[in-house]
Amino acid sequence: MTQGTNLPRVGGYNQAVVLDAIRTAGPVSRVELAPLTGLTSQTVSNVVRRLLDAGLVSESGHAPSSGGKRRTLLSPRPDGAYAVGVQLDPDAAVVVVVDLAGEVLANRRVSLPDGAAPEEVVPRVAAAARRLTAKAQVDPARLLGTGIAAPGPIDGPAGAVVSPPNFTGWGRVPLRAMFEDATGMPVAMDNDATAAAIGERWIGGRKRAGSFLFIYLGTGVGAGIVLNNTVLHGDSGNAGEFGHIAIAADGLSCDCGGSNCVGPYVSPAGVIGDLVQRHGAQAAARIGVTGAAAAVHRDWKLLRQAARAADPAALDAVRRAGRRFGQAARGAVALLDVSRVVLGGESIRGIEHILCEEIDAAVNATSVARVIRRIEVEKSVIGDAVGAVGAASLILHGNYAPGWGMLTRP
Ligand SMILES: [Zn+2]
């Protein structure tokens, strides 16, 4: 059943709309905000007063006079709110503290022992988060909560991860509740790719307005979907399982049981395997790649460096992965009608340009791209920390981004 809404919620929604306009268009005057938000100047005035009182925006000088009274400009206040972000991977958690502008004030990588149980990981990460917020001298009253970006699959409504790959012994783990207990703060959780897309939307401002597909490469690959400024989660919180898009390839089996998923062909372990298989032991030795399961992190770094240095075998392996990315991205773009594909995650460092080039060629090789619009393919505006910053953005976005959920949330 479609839910109705009540006036106080409309007030909260309007406040989010005005804050969003100030964040993306600011510094901006009250007079300019009315047409930008579709609100009357009286409503804008009232809402701005509330935002000033809440410490979320500030008056930041005046616009040049055009004859009449000089207009006061409004800007967002970075110190208006803070959030902690945690990007959880099998071998480490990256923890960041960010302000309302998405600026990283402190960050730390917490190594996790092989096979560590959730009961060991959660307190360790929560302790690191406490130390970081103290170090960043964050006003506790303005710390809104902790966001967790976890590898899928997740049970979104229940706030649980479900047998995440490479987390030995993890079954169904209620991470959200465990982090709430350990931190004493509100906790939001999402899969890493969707969190990254939310971070990109929160921080990218006008550059990330409208619709885009965010392809996230970590240990595996996933995607976040933003359609007409709305983040898609799906019924179970698993929208954007990019790694399981079927492509015209066969042979490599996927952990989902499929045999032509794109994931195994483009994940770091898959590309390393491809290099060893196609170019042989000599090329692998030249690059320093061992192909051992325990050495994926190191192998992947060496392979990326070799590709950057134009080693022909490494370059070929990365380009082949890029074409596979492109094949799957082309299908996703056709389905969603996004005009932008964004690539991010720390596993793309150094090879972004190669992957972007291949994806660009694939998604723009359609008649729709030629006749209706070109699809822009670019790397994340946030960079390496997009997973952790995205996790923190779950909290900022959840509190302040205007969205339908804001009107219907109980
Ligand atoms: Zn699969």
Side-chain angles (χ1 to χ4, degrees), residues 243-244 254 256 258 261:
H244 302 295
C254 180
C256 74
C261 296

Side-chain angles (χ1 to χ4, degrees), residues 232-255:
L232 301 193
H233 294 275
D235 282 346
S236 69
N238 288 295
E241 282 279 28
F242 187 87
H244 302 295
I245 292 180
I247 58 166
D250 53 45
L252 292 188
S253 55
C254 180
D255 54 32

Side-chain angles (χ1 to χ4, degrees), residues 127-212:
R130 267 193 300 278
R131 281 195 295 274
L132 271 191
T133 48
K135 183 180 161 199
Q137 298 183 315
V138 163
D139 175 359
R142 293 195 174 271
L143 183 59
L144 301 177
T146 298
I148 312 287
I154 64 169
D155 180 340
V161 295
V162 185
S163 306
N166 305 315
F167 283 81
T168 316
W170 288 38
R172 184 187 181 80
V173 181
L175 268 189
R176 191 173 62 209
M178 289 176 76
F179 270 103
E180 276 166 357
D181 284 347
T183 61
M185 282 192 281
V187 172
M189 193 187 89
D190 217 320
N191 77 63
D192 44 19
T194 298
I198 289 174
E200 196 78 10
R201 166 84 187 102
W202 181 258
I203 289 163
R206 270 174 288 190
K207 283 189 200 150
R208 293 293 177 264
S211 306
F212 65 90

